[in-house]
Amino acid sequence: MWQKGALRFAVSDAPEAKKLLAENVCIFTPMVAVDGCAIGLPRFNVHGYDPNRHWDEVNLRDKRYLEMMPEVWYFKKAILSYVARGGRIDLMLNMHNTETGEYVATQADDTESLAKMNVMYDRLLTSTSFDPSAPQKLRTSERASGNTNWLYQEARIPVMLMEQRIGFSTKLNRWPRVSDRLEFGPLLLQAMAAGAQAGAK
């Protein structure tokens, strides 16, 4: 739902949207775990692989991974090809839902990336329904994992993983509604743009 809200905002006539798109390129990708939604197997595709893992294992030169994990293979190929052609990614965010926790995590450890992410994070805290679990700070980890954050290890792409709680929100003082997610989308885009612009100064 947040993406629907973000897309509606991006194509709107709102002055904030026009300014954002004049200064940024926003790339949206569809849901990766489509098999899980279609056949009721959360987190797994029809071959039994979790598309939120294995990003470190998937070798684009080995077609076995295309057969086992086409979701990861194609997404990874598109992202790395874009960067290899000279495309710049200032911030990348992989969105998830979770029952109780809410946070943003990264493996990035360079000063520039972390500065951008912290500007985004602080804006989410102050301007949105983002309600992180304690402590209220960006989670960083030196331990490499197999999710999309691996792209930082592989290509220095400043990528983050965000978990958004579907359970009770202390910030909203209730369970999140569809309208909350729709409202969150534009605010998330603007927070990411603020982070990217801060890094460009």
Side-chain angles (χ1 to χ4, degrees), residues 8 29 31-32 50 83 90 114 126 129 131 140 142 162 191 196:
R8 283 179 176 175
T29 60
M31 181 186 297
V32 177
D50 182 346
V83 172
D90 290 308
L114 291 174
T126 58
S129 59
D131 185 23
T140 58
E142 296 178 0
M162 181 175 188

Side-chain angles (χ1 to χ4, degrees), residues 121-180:
Y121 191 93
D122 290 343
R123 184 152 174 172
L124 289 177
L125 274 178
T126 58
S127 306
T128 77
S129 59
F130 178 55
D131 185 23
S133 310
Q136 291 192 336
K137 63 180 181 179
L138 177 72
R139 291 189 185 181
T140 58
S141 174
E142 296 178 0
R143 183 176 62 85
S145 69
N147 62 34
T148 51
N149 283 2
W150 173 257
L151 292 172
Y152 182 78
Q153 306 294 334
E154 190 164 349
R156 305 300 281 182
I157 296 170
V159 57
M160 300 162 283
L161 182 145
M162 181 175 188
E163 292 283 2
Q164 213 171 21
R165 184 188 300 107
I166 62 173
F168 187 86
S169 167
T170 57
K171 203 168 188 180
L172 295 170
N173 199 31
R174 56 175 168 78
W175 287 52
R177 301 171 182 154
V178 169
S179 59
D180 297 314

